[in-house]
Amino acid sequence: MRNRLSVIAACGLVFLWGCEDSEPETTQIPPTPVTTQRIVEAASEPGSWLTHGGNYQEQRYSDLTSISTDNVSGLELAWHFEFDTHRGQESTPLMIDGVIYVTSAWSKVFALDAATGELLWRFDPEVPKETGINACCDVVNRGAAYYAGKVFVGTIDGRLIAIDAATGEQAWSAVTVDQSRPYTITGAPRAAKGLVFIGNGGAEYGVRGYVSAYHVESGELAWRFYTVPGDGPDGAASDEVLAQLAAPTWHGNDYLEYGGGGTVWDAIVYDPELDQLYIGTGNGSPWDRALRSQDKGDNLFLSSVVALDPDTGTYLWHYQETPGETWDYTSTQQITLATLAIDGSTRQVLLHAPKNGFFYVLDRTNGQVISAEKFVPVNWAERIDVETGRPVEAPGARYEQEPFVSVVGGAGAHNWQPMSYSPQTGLVYLPVQQVPFVYTKQEGFEYLPGEWNLGVNLGDTPLPPGDDARAEIRAGLMGWLAAWDPVENREVWRVAHDGPWQGGTLATAGGLVFQGLTDHTFRAYDASQGSELWRFPTQDAIITAPISFAVNGTQYIAVTVGNGGGLPLTLPTFGDPAVTPNGRLLVFALGGTASLPALNLELPEPVLVEDFLRPEQSAEGFALYGRFCQSCHGIEALTAGVLPDLRRSPALADPELWRAIVLEGAFSPRGMVGFQGKITAEQTEVLRGYVAQQAARINPPAP
Ligand code: CA
């Protein structure tokens, strides 16, 4: 199948570029190549979207003003492009010289004419589908980088690929990880000074985090910086600082086997004013510090912002937001640079809203914390002591003796969904969520290579059976769009949404904030006071952030649509999953005349199978499902619709087919690996029985 697809893709290229005998009729001035200087001067071309966050400051703010509070009600669909899957869509597109470069699930890249949506080329890195199981939170990709005529993308299986932006052909490919470990790349590369920077993920499984820099032209490794110590020097840029600063904050040797974590899976930001590179680092592997570091030590550089020399990877400074991390409180969230007037002086700051619930304003010349205030209710720490920079932790928050119900769970008060900052209003537009979590130590923790290794119970408690109790849980899962003043450290306005896991934001000089939601709407708000001015029905959830660009004098707003990421795969919706079309890129303009095709998808009926589990097998079914199935197919098979609803799978009624898929890996080419060697044939049947019980709950058979 893959060969046939390759042939089709190759034919497409011939079709598009094979006609070299016709000369262009007019001589066009070639555009300035995108290198550091052009991105530094991004403000001079507000119609472009040159980098992941719009510019090096990653403010996700557009200076375009044609679409404004006065006329946004006339915003209509101009064109749309459909991807080839309904797996999660987390990409922020780029728009450079009239071409959109957008990534999609399975690390694919599409180049589209920005005015019409016409496909110019597509690039499929042909990720082996069985590596999808190494992605904690779907096979998503958050975007590409563009530099010196090349488009760069990181792949689920850990490659960094340079693509010729004109032809769509691969220029080079570098394997950036040890592919025998469960590393993945979902984040966008960034480029500056002739280098392209890339991190990776995998801390839920057990890996050691790092960031790498590759030469843009050759694909050669320039430097690497590990965020946590190894068992000796690596011959890497991090050797000295790990030995001096980090190693003394780790205890015992267990973390060496587990990897330690600290993955750099999202924020990597180059600061042209100070010539520094900032990275945000992830949580510990495993989550529970007691298991990886004898329950002591800060465990540098977990959950930190670290500043590096972009040319060499040499350590410059760090600020650790969650010392001794033990709650999955990553600090990988978007880093935004700004210059603010604070207490009468002009400060070069870094704005950060990591998972732990505090909004940090750091002095980016030295990493000193200027302010850190709660942007959600937080009970793991009372406050951040800005003198020492350390949190004042609440007693019991580390769940040493008994479970701790934290208002901020591992899903984070803010996750990867991008925020924006408007210099016009001075406000940060932050997608906030409240997803509590009960931290309980996992008794008898055993490290299992290739599986989730948290050291914390995850979904080991059945959901309450009653509708009322479930409604109560659902009501406790909240989300809102907050307009946050980073100088006054306060929320100026908020728009409450119906639950967590909303999209990221875009702020514009037209006085607008754009945000998409999982309720299948795309909306515009007044940036100064939050009133809703426009909305569009998108037929599917939006979880990522929009961009704005201009072509031929017309301003456009673009956003990728498609549910996915971690939470929707597991979040109990307590209802039927949405039936959605393939992911899409939607592009809007004033007076646009396009429309989406009518949605004509029906949810299949649940598959009813007579209950064949013996009572004593129910607990085993629950445990097996929780360990092997739940992170993709949802608690109690309550999927949000991104991955197949097992309760509606024909295989449920066919033990042989079920076994071929679940045990023997018949659907490996689609990304559903077989669990041969991890479970027995008998356990496969127990799983089928468990899922059948869940299916029966949708539509109970007549007694
Ligand atoms: Ca994590």
Side-chain angles (χ1 to χ4, degrees):
M1 184 55 136
R2 187 177 299 154
N3 285 342
R4 210 172 80 205
L5 288 177
S6 304
V7 170
I8 293 167
C11 291
L13 290 174
V14 169
F15 175 74
L16 287 167
W17 280 280
C19 312
E20 287 171 2
D21 50 352
S22 64
E23 292 291 323
E25 286 173 10
T26 54
T27 309
Q28 291 190 332
I29 301 163
T32 312
V34 174
T35 56
T36 311
Q37 194 56 32
R38 185 164 164 198
I39 304 173
V40 167
E41 293 166 2
S44 69
E45 48 174 319
S48 304
W49 195 273
L50 297 174
T51 71
H52 189 58
N55 54 18
Y56 275 137
Q57 288 70 34
E58 304 224 356
Q59 294 182 348
R60 292 178 174 268
Y61 173 76
S62 169
D63 262 318
L64 299 173
T65 55
S66 298
I67 300 166
S68 70
T69 50
D70 292 336
N71 61 20
V72 69
S73 61
L75 197 60
E76 299 281 356
L77 192 67
W79 57 263
H80 68 92
F81 177 81
E82 185 163 326
F83 300 116
D84 56 3
T85 174
H86 61 261
R87 296 296 287 265
Q89 305 294 337
E90 295 190 353
S91 183
T92 298
L94 306 174
M95 204 302 286
I96 297 154
D97 301 327
V99 179
I100 284 179
Y101 304 94
V102 60
T103 66
S104 180
W106 294 113
S107 328
K108 293 177 187 176
V109 189
F110 298 82
L112 308 170
D113 182 304
T116 66
E118 182 198 352
L119 177 67
L120 303 178
W121 53 256
R122 69 193 287 277
F123 180 84
D124 181 356
E126 299 189 348
V127 170
K129 295 290 192 288
E130 59 272 19
T131 60
I133 197 168
N134 294 334
C136 73
C137 312
D138 205 0
V139 290
V140 292
N141 187 281
R142 284 186 292 281
Y146 187 108
Y147 196 92
K150 293 187 179 69
V151 177
F152 301 90
V153 66
T155 68
I156 283 292
D157 57 336
R159 290 170 287 159
L160 176 66
I161 297 178
I163 305 162
D164 185 315
T167 65
E169 279 168 28
Q170 179 174 306
W172 53 258
S173 173
V175 175
T176 73
V177 300
D178 173 356
Q179 289 178 313
S180 72
R181 305 272 309 204
Y183 282 105
T184 51
I185 300 177
T186 56
R190 314 299 205 278
K193 305 186 82 177
L195 299 174
V196 55
F197 309 104
I198 191 71
N200 47 58
E204 266 57 63
Y205 299 76
V207 296
R208 181 183 179 206
Y210 57 90
V211 60
S212 311
Y214 289 83
H215 290 284
V216 164
E217 289 304 327
S218 64
E220 266 178 76
L221 181 68
W223 55 257
R224 179 164 289 170
F225 185 94
Y226 289 92
T227 59
V228 301
D231 57 4
D234 301 291
S238 42
D239 279 355
E240 196 179 319
V241 72
L242 287 180
Q244 286 177 4
L245 275 187
T249 69
W250 290 77
H251 300 273
N253 291 318
D254 288 342
Y255 71 90
L256 295 173
E257 183 189 2
Y258 307 149
T263 46
V264 184
W265 57 261
D266 200 59
I268 304 172
V269 173
Y270 172 64
D271 177 349
E273 293 165 55
L274 299 175
D275 194 28
Q276 300 184 132
L277 186 78
Y278 311 110
I279 58 170
T281 67
N283 56 280
S285 271
W287 287 5
D288 185 356
R289 184 182 62 170
L291 295 169
R292 62 166 199 269
S293 184
Q294 301 175 347
D295 214 11
K296 54 188 179 182
D298 284 351
N299 291 184
L300 291 172
F301 295 102
L302 297 181
S303 300
S304 303
V305 175
V306 185
L308 304 175
D309 180 322
D311 299 308
T312 62
T314 307
Y315 167 91
L316 299 173
W317 56 254
H318 78 277
Y319 176 69
Q320 189 175 42
E321 293 172 328
T322 311
E325 198 286 309
T326 199
W327 305 272
D328 188 23
Y329 288 166
T330 70
S331 288
T332 54
Q333 282 61 38
Q334 176 186 336
I335 289 170
T336 293
L337 312 183
T339 302
L340 300 180
I342 296 174
D343 294 335
S345 54
T346 302
R347 306 290 295 269
Q348 290 171 298
V349 302
L350 181 160
L351 307 175
H352 204 216
K355 275 188 180 180
N356 75 11
F358 288 91
F359 193 101
Y360 295 84
V361 181
L362 303 185
D363 181 333
R364 65 180 201 263
T365 65
N366 57 19
Q368 299 265 295
V369 62
I370 295 171
S371 61
E373 294 295 331
K374 294 176 180 177
F375 62 90
V376 287
V378 171
N379 64 340
W380 71 272
E382 195 186 299
R383 65 192 165 85
I384 306 297
D385 180 336
V386 291
E387 295 302 316
T388 63
R390 298 181 70 88
V392 179
E393 283 183 24
R398 291 182 177 271
Y399 50 98
E400 297 103 324
Q401 308 299 333
E402 51 191 82
F404 177 68
V405 184
S406 183
V407 180
V408 177
H414 171 224
N415 208 307
W416 61 269
Q417 285 87 346
M419 63 186 192
S420 56
Y421 168 73
S422 166
Q424 193 179 60
T425 61
L427 300 175
V428 174
Y429 301 98
L430 180 64
V432 179
Q433 59 183 13
Q434 186 172 312
V435 185
F437 186 79
V438 184
Y439 291 90
T440 314
K441 283 186 187 293
Q442 187 182 344
E443 295 305 324
F445 171 79
E446 189 189 342
Y447 174 72
L448 300 166
E451 292 184 37
W452 281 34
N453 289 287
L454 308 182
V456 168
N457 284 344
L458 190 67
D460 288 10
T461 315
L463 292 169
D467 286 349
D468 288 352
R470 290 178 176 222
E472 200 178 316
I473 292 178
R474 183 66 185 77
L477 306 174
M478 297 193 280
W480 62 92
L481 168 62
W484 181 266
D485 184 330
V487 175
E488 305 265 334
N489 298 306
R490 66 186 180 95
E491 187 181 282
V492 175
W493 55 258
R494 81 162 65 171
V495 177
H497 295 322
D498 182 27
W501 213 253
Q502 351 148 31
T505 68
L506 163 75
T508 78
L512 296 166
V513 178
F514 288 89
Q515 185 186 30
L517 298 175
T518 53
D519 70 356
H520 302 193
T521 63
F522 185 38
R523 306 182 188 188
Y525 299 98
D526 185 312
S528 60
Q529 31 84 350
S531 55
E532 184 180 317
L533 300 176
W534 172 82
R535 73 163 67 182
F536 181 89
T538 50
Q539 300 185 350
D540 198 355
I542 297 174
I543 53 174
T544 187
I547 68 164
S548 188
F549 63 90
V551 180
N552 302 328
T554 299
Q555 183 185 357
Y556 296 88
I557 307 289
V559 67
T560 46
V561 179
N563 208 2
L567 200 53
L569 303 184
T570 55
L571 179 70
T573 53
F574 310 133
D576 273 333
V579 183
T580 55
N582 281 342
R584 290 170 172 147
L585 177 68
L586 304 186
V587 179
F588 298 87
L590 292 172
T593 56
S595 57
L596 294 178
L599 191 58
N600 192 20
L601 299 165
E602 275 184 32
L603 196 61
E605 287 296 312
V607 175
L608 294 181
V609 177
E610 204 174 321
D611 188 352
F612 57 85
L613 279 195
R614 298 191 303 276
E616 66 271 23
Q617 290 177 316
S618 281
E620 188 190 4
F622 176 79
L624 283 170
Y625 182 86
R627 180 169 161 197
F628 293 106
C629 316
Q630 177 173 292
S631 67
C632 289
H633 294 282
I635 297 168
E636 293 183 358
L638 291 162
T639 169
V642 180
L643 287 173
D645 184 343
L646 301 182
R647 303 168 301 174
R648 293 172 162 85
S649 165
L652 200 51
D654 184 340
E656 303 231 324
L657 179 58
W658 181 267
R659 200 171 88 152
I661 297 168
V662 176
L663 200 64
E664 291 150 16
F667 283 179
S668 272
R670 301 189 199 174
M672 166 63 197
V673 298
F675 290 93
Q676 189 90 264
K678 300 211 170 195
I679 57 175
T680 63
E682 194 186 338
Q683 287 174 319
T684 309
E685 271 300 274
V686 173
L687 272 173
R688 189 169 73 90
Y690 174 80
V691 175
Q693 286 177 340
Q694 306 314 311
R697 292 169 71 173
I698 301 176
N699 195 3

